[in-house]
Amino acid sequence: MMKIATITFHWATNYGAVLQAFALQKYLEKSGYEAEIIDYVPSRVKLLSYVTWIRRKKFGEFRKEKLIGKFRHAELKLSEKKYRSCKKLKSNSFDYDCIISGSDQLWNKNFTLNLDGGKPNLSYFLDFADEKTVKLAYAVSFGATHMPDEYYDRVKPFANAFQAISVREQTAIPIVEQMGRKAEVVCDPTLLLDRADYEKLIEKKRYQCGKVFCYILHENQYTAQKIAREVKKIYRENEDRTARDDMYAWLYKIKNSEIVVTNSFHGTMLALIFNTPFIVVPVDGFDMNDRIKTILDVVHLENRIVSDTDADVLRSLCSEKIDWDQVNRSMAQYSRMGKDFLSSNLAMYAEKAK
């Protein structure tokens, strides 16, 4: 049986980051491969997160990390050995047939150029893997639309070692081309699984759930917060539900709410998967909205993106009937592109190995 490893941000204190890690691993297992996640947790990044939480008195993040950690422990298959630095990765030998970098913003310029105290870190470009190992990039994201020259100078040699590269948004295509490679847009790993796979995670669980579920990422997102309050007024729901959720509760509330208000890509993805009506608010001050626009363009729901608090627009969206049959057909077709990318490239390895 072909042995595959993935490397990603499974360590992040973020529902979407952990869920996409689960989804890719689960899909590979369903496809008949032996799969695990390389337990690479860059200690400097984690430590800086903890220090930031303490300085900003965001103690709720420690509870969130503990809650998400339960899902990691229960649902992710991690490598037996944990790696705390790129140096540790490079000093180890691996026996994987294939390593997949993906998904998430693994090729973000800040991580690549400054992850190790201002020094470059090419771990997510698989600089630690030997030449015999098949290297794939699945739905990687840059979190930006442009990169500095220094970035290209650093990554080009490692990008050339990949058998194939796929990305998560259209704006990533010219960035990869600037590396001298071709890339194709594929779905986020969460779309590789069926709705039933997520329902199975929460089928025996029950949580209190209101009509409106608001999932707003980042600080100072005033527009998103205002829109969330307006939507709650429309649904005549005034209760402030700010309790920290574990992954299971997060999924449950997206599935069972009447509407989701979010500025999160994965919040949007799960609303689509569960066929829950939603409103998306662009993230203020971040160059990371294109991945949301990409998926909403695929399902022809670009009108669900709202950037102001116009009450009439919000009421119209809240009452609008979404053609979920059309949405599901579009997502199935989009999902097939990702599955084809993986199956064709893994089959190519199998053929060479004969």
Side-chain angles (χ1 to χ4, degrees), residues 3-5 36-38 79 94-99 133-134:
K3 189 175 182 181
I4 302 174
E36 69 179 24
I37 299 167
I38 296 175
S79 61
F94 298 93
D95 63 348
Y96 303 117
D97 299 305
C98 173
I99 301 179
T133 305
V134 175

Side-chain angles (χ1 to χ4, degrees), residues 15 22 78 120 134 157 174 249 260 265 272 278 301 305 311:
Y15 300 114
F22 162 79
L78 303 178
V134 175
V260 172
F265 171 75
L272 287 168
F278 62 93
L301 289 178
I305 302 176

Side-chain angles (χ1 to χ4, degrees), residues 77-92:
K77 182 180 179 182
L78 303 178
S79 61
E80 186 175 334
K81 190 173 182 180
K82 178 175 286 190
Y83 306 90
R84 294 290 188 178
S85 68
C86 60
K87 185 177 180 180
K88 290 292 184 181
L89 277 173
K90 289 181 178 180
S91 66
N92 194 73

Side-chain angles (χ1 to χ4, degrees), residues 312-354:
D312 291 334
V313 171
L314 294 176
R315 275 193 291 269
S316 176
L317 287 175
C318 289
S319 62
E320 180 182 73
K321 298 296 182 183
I322 296 175
D323 184 352
W324 289 114
D325 288 338
Q326 177 270 320
V327 169
N328 292 336
R329 286 193 299 271
S330 297
M331 288 199 299
Q333 185 177 3
Y334 193 40
S335 175
R336 174 48 54 193
M337 295 168 63
K339 293 174 181 178
D340 288 346
F341 173 86
L342 290 169
S343 62
S344 63
N345 280 289
L346 294 175
M348 192 182 302
Y349 165 80
E351 187 65 29
K352 289 179 181 178
K354 287 183 179 179

Side-chain angles (χ1 to χ4, degrees), residues 223-275:
T223 302
Q225 291 161 1
K226 287 180 181 179
I227 288 174
R229 287 194 293 269
E230 288 298 319
V231 172
K232 284 188 175 183
K233 288 180 183 178
I234 293 170
Y235 280 81
R236 299 180 180 180
E237 184 172 70
N238 297 317
E239 185 177 353
D240 185 19
R241 300 177 182 273
T242 57
R244 294 288 178 183
D245 295 320
D246 63 19
M247 180 71 78
Y248 305 101
W250 186 75
L251 291 169
Y252 182 93
K253 291 179 180 181
I254 292 177
K255 180 181 185 294
N256 292 287
S257 296
E258 292 186 23
I259 193 166
V260 172
V261 180
T262 188
N263 63 356
S264 156
F265 171 75
H266 283 107
T268 304
M269 286 299 306
L270 268 296
L272 287 168
I273 290 169
F274 284 131
N275 288 182

Side-chain angles (χ1 to χ4, degrees), residues 274-313:
F274 284 131
N275 288 182
T276 302
F278 62 93
I279 290 174
V280 176
V281 187
V283 178
D284 290 332
F286 285 77
D287 190 13
M288 56 183 292
N289 294 303
D290 189 64
R291 53 187 174 154
I292 295 180
K293 294 176 182 176
T294 295
I295 185 60
L296 293 186
D297 181 62
V298 167
V299 297
H300 309 295
L301 289 178
E302 305 94 323
N303 69 312
R304 307 301 297 187
I305 302 176
V306 178
S307 57
D308 61 56
T309 57
D310 187 300
D312 291 334
V313 171

